């Protein structure tokens, strides 16, 4: 199958009934995303007079992971979307679990990267020196060849900071630079959330720049909403109970409680590599 032509969403944007379109529309496979480690198919989805581009990842195309024996990548991707929506931040593109040409899988709205990013809008960079410049947060040192090292930094950006909080809640084990998707209008999305919600601490991310710093008021308010939604009988708890195990749901509650109790961004635990490899 040839590489897909990127087809931008037509007549549909997040927040205009797109989840219904994704869940009930007719899926047509246009191509395969070859660089993906699991089966990821570029599709269009059509329902009545609406059509959009999307990604369909069938469960049948997932590679088993020894350290994530329960559930599926597809279910965890949908669970991450549900948590993102419950924060009120809309950090994950609309995502549903549905049947498709190759069986059950996740279907996510295709978000086109911003074709004309503003100058200076970079999110990640390699810089010389031991300290980040103004507007940047240090991640760590990286080898850049010929025995040389450079400091890997990320932008001191409120959108990234929200993603850092989301990742701490869902216990994201793979927040790479390539999973950050800047879109038109200044929106930033996070994608590829298949390795999340583990009961053990597996947080691996490039967004460590705020480690140990106090959470913002905005983050505390979002976490409070999550806590309420995760209580027995809460809408978020009901949605997640269909997607992750009871133990994983309890662990999610515990992570939210711990963040609220500490009032700070988490720090690397030391028992698990803190930065994903490759980082991008």
């Amino acid at each position: 199958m040839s590489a897909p032509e990127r087809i931008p969403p037509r007549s549909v944007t997040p927040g205009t009934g797109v989840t219904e379109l994704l869940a009930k529309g007719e899926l047509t496979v246009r191509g395969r995303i070859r660089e993906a480690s699991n089966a990821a198919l570029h599709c269009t989805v059509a329902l009545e007079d609406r059509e959009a581009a999307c990604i369909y990842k069938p469960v049948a195309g997932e590679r088993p992971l020894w350290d994530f024996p329960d559930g599926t990548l597809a279910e965890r991707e949908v669970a991450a979307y549900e948590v993102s929506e419950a924060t009120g931040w809309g950090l994950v593109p609309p995502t549903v679990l549905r049947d498709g040409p190759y069986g059950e899988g996740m279907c996510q709205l295709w978000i086109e990267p911003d074709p004309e990013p503003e100058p200076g809008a970079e999110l990640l960079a390699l810089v010389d020196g031991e300290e980040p410049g103004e507007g940047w947060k240090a991640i760590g040192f990286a080898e850049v060849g010929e025995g040389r090292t450079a400091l890997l930094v990320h932008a001191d950006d409120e959108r990234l900071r929200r993603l850092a909080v989301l990742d701490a809640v869902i216990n994201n084990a793979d927040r790479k630079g390539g999973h950050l998707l800047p879109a038109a209008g200044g929106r930033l999305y996070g994608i590829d959330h298949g390795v999340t919600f583990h009961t053990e601490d597996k947080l691996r991310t490039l967004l460590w720049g705020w480690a140990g710093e106090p959470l913002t008021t905005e983050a505390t308010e979002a976490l409070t909403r999550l806590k309420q939604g995760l209580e027995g009988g809460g809408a978020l708890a009901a949605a997640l109970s269909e997607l992750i195990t009871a133990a994983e749901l309890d662990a999610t509650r515990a992570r939210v409680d711990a963040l609220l109790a500490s009032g700070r961004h988490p720090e690397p635990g030391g028992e698990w590599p803190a930065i994903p490899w490759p980082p991008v």
Side-chain angles (χ1 to χ4, degrees):
M1 188 175 292
S2 61
E5 175 187 1
R6 290 196 169 188
I7 305 172
R10 293 185 294 167
S11 306
V12 173
T13 57
T16 58
V18 69
T19 53
E20 179 187 26
L21 172 61
L22 292 172
K24 299 180 180 179
E26 180 180 358
L27 274 178
T28 301
V29 177
R30 301 296 185 183
R32 181 171 182 174
I33 312 302
R34 295 191 179 277
E35 61 267 26
S37 56
N38 294 276
L41 304 176
H42 185 269
C43 302
T44 53
V45 59
L47 180 66
E48 298 175 348
D49 62 343
R50 294 179 296 165
E51 181 179 290
C54 62
I55 292 295
Y56 161 53
K57 297 182 181 180
V59 171
E62 295 181 4
R63 297 179 181 178
L65 299 173
W66 67 269
D67 54 341
F68 281 83
D70 299 315
T72 65
L73 303 181
E75 289 170 320
R76 290 190 286 272
E77 292 237 36
V78 178
Y81 166 71
E82 294 289 350
V83 174
S84 167
E85 287 299 286
T87 65
W89 289 334
L91 299 172
V92 179
T95 312
V96 302
L97 193 68
R98 60 161 292 168
D99 195 31
Y102 299 102
E104 186 177 67
M106 84 80 159
C107 184
Q108 184 176 84
L109 183 69
W110 180 282
I111 302 294
E112 283 288 344
D114 188 352
E116 298 180 353
E118 295 183 5
E122 294 84 1
L123 298 175
L124 298 168
L126 284 167
V127 298
D128 293 323
E130 297 186 356
E131 296 293 335
E134 184 178 355
W136 295 94
K137 291 285 189 176
I139 302 169
F141 289 96
E143 294 185 7
V144 293
E146 299 181 355
R148 220 178 123 251
T149 61
L151 183 63
L152 181 61
V153 297
H154 68 67
D156 187 1
D157 186 306
E158 65 177 10
R159 301 169 302 168
L160 290 180
R161 192 164 190 171
R162 291 170 186 155
L163 270 174
V165 174
L166 176 68
D167 286 343
V169 171
I170 67 177
N171 198 14
N172 192 352
D174 196 29
R175 175 61 75 204
K176 295 177 180 176
H179 299 166
L180 304 173
L181 185 58
R187 291 292 301 271
L188 178 68
Y189 294 95
I191 58 173
D192 288 341
H193 297 105
V195 285
T196 48
F197 294 99
H198 204 286
T199 56
E200 300 174 7
D201 179 15
K202 290 186 179 289
L203 184 59
R204 254 192 338 178
T205 175
L206 288 178
L207 305 180
W208 286 116
W210 298 281
E213 293 188 13
L215 295 167
T216 63
T217 299
E218 178 191 50
T220 300
E221 291 172 349
L223 289 165
T224 300
R225 287 193 292 272
L226 290 182
K227 180 177 176 64
Q228 294 168 348
L230 288 167
E231 292 174 350
L236 181 57
L240 294 185
S241 66
E242 300 294 322
L243 299 165
I244 60 178
T245 67
E248 289 167 339
L249 181 53
D250 285 342
T252 303
R253 293 188 180 105
R255 288 191 294 271
V256 171
D257 288 344
L259 286 166
L260 285 170
S262 71
R264 295 181 177 276
H265 287 268
E267 299 183 73
E271 296 182 2
W272 180 256
I275 297 175
W277 189 262
V280 177

